Amino acid sequence: MNKRDNEMKELLLNLKTVAIIGCSANKYRTSYHIANYLKENGIRIFPINPNYEEVLGVKCLPSLDEIPNDITIDVVDIFRDSQYTADMVRQIIEWSDKTGQKPVIWTQLNVSSDEAKSLAEETGFTYIENECMMVQHERVTA
């Protein structure tokens, strides 16, 4: 196992809270399945999507800024088309500046962009790209 695999394993074994940008209430969408998986595995989810009131019985928030200040977010998981990923990273950086939190930024398969990765790494964020959180979590917890 290389250093990155060890870091990912450590992260996933200790995962408590995930903000899911672009989380869908449509049960046919990947973000819905992964949110459901995380929730079923005892991980607190914060769906972020201005288009829904709730996802999986959890209040859906319009933005990261709506997450209560007393909540620590371990990972922000991005489910948006790659053309929006850099903007999502900018929002995470702004939120981080306000809250002092520095969660891992996770981009699902084919969601990353070079610009998003550069922005995250230049500002000191751990950035995971082209990985399915559910697949990786199942792998390390099996």
Side-chain angles (χ1 to χ4, degrees), residues 47-52 59-67 91:
I48 310 292
N49 190 327
N51 300 316
Y52 299 107
K59 183 179 180 192
C60 200
L61 306 173
S63 72
L64 289 170
D65 290 329
E66 301 300 314
I67 294 172
Q91 289 177 24

Side-chain angles (χ1 to χ4, degrees), residues 70-85:
D70 62 334
I71 300 295
T72 299
I73 299 296
D74 298 321
V75 174
V76 177
D77 193 3
I78 300 175
F79 278 95
R80 295 287 315 270
D81 289 342
S82 59
Q83 66 187 11
Y84 302 114
T85 307

Side-chain angles (χ1 to χ4, degrees), residues 57-121:
V58 178
K59 183 179 180 192
C60 200
L61 306 173
S63 72
L64 289 170
D65 290 329
E66 301 300 314
I67 294 172
N69 292 332
D70 62 334
I71 300 295
T72 299
I73 299 296
D74 298 321
V75 174
V76 177
D77 193 3
I78 300 175
F79 278 95
R80 295 287 315 270
D81 289 342
S82 59
Q83 66 187 11
Y84 302 114
T85 307
D87 287 337
M88 298 300 102
V89 170
R90 284 186 195 89
Q91 289 177 24
I92 294 165
I93 293 166
E94 286 175 25
W95 175 79
S96 173
D97 288 345
K98 290 181 214 162
T99 64
Q101 295 192 47
K102 217 150 190 149
V104 170
I105 299 173
W106 190 297
T107 60
Q108 292 292 138
L109 301 170
N110 303 314
V111 171
S112 186
S113 71
D114 292 340
E115 181 184 10
K117 182 177 182 176
S118 294
L119 281 167
E121 291 177 348

Side-chain angles (χ1 to χ4, degrees), residues 1 6 8 12 28-29 34 52-53 70 77 81 85 98 109 115-116 124 136:
M1 221 184 260
N6 284 333
M8 188 183 301
L12 293 170
Y28 299 106
R29 301 298 301 250
I34 291 175
Y52 299 107
E53 291 293 317
D70 62 334
D77 193 3
D81 289 342
T85 307
K98 290 181 214 162
L109 301 170
E115 181 184 10
Q136 293 304 324

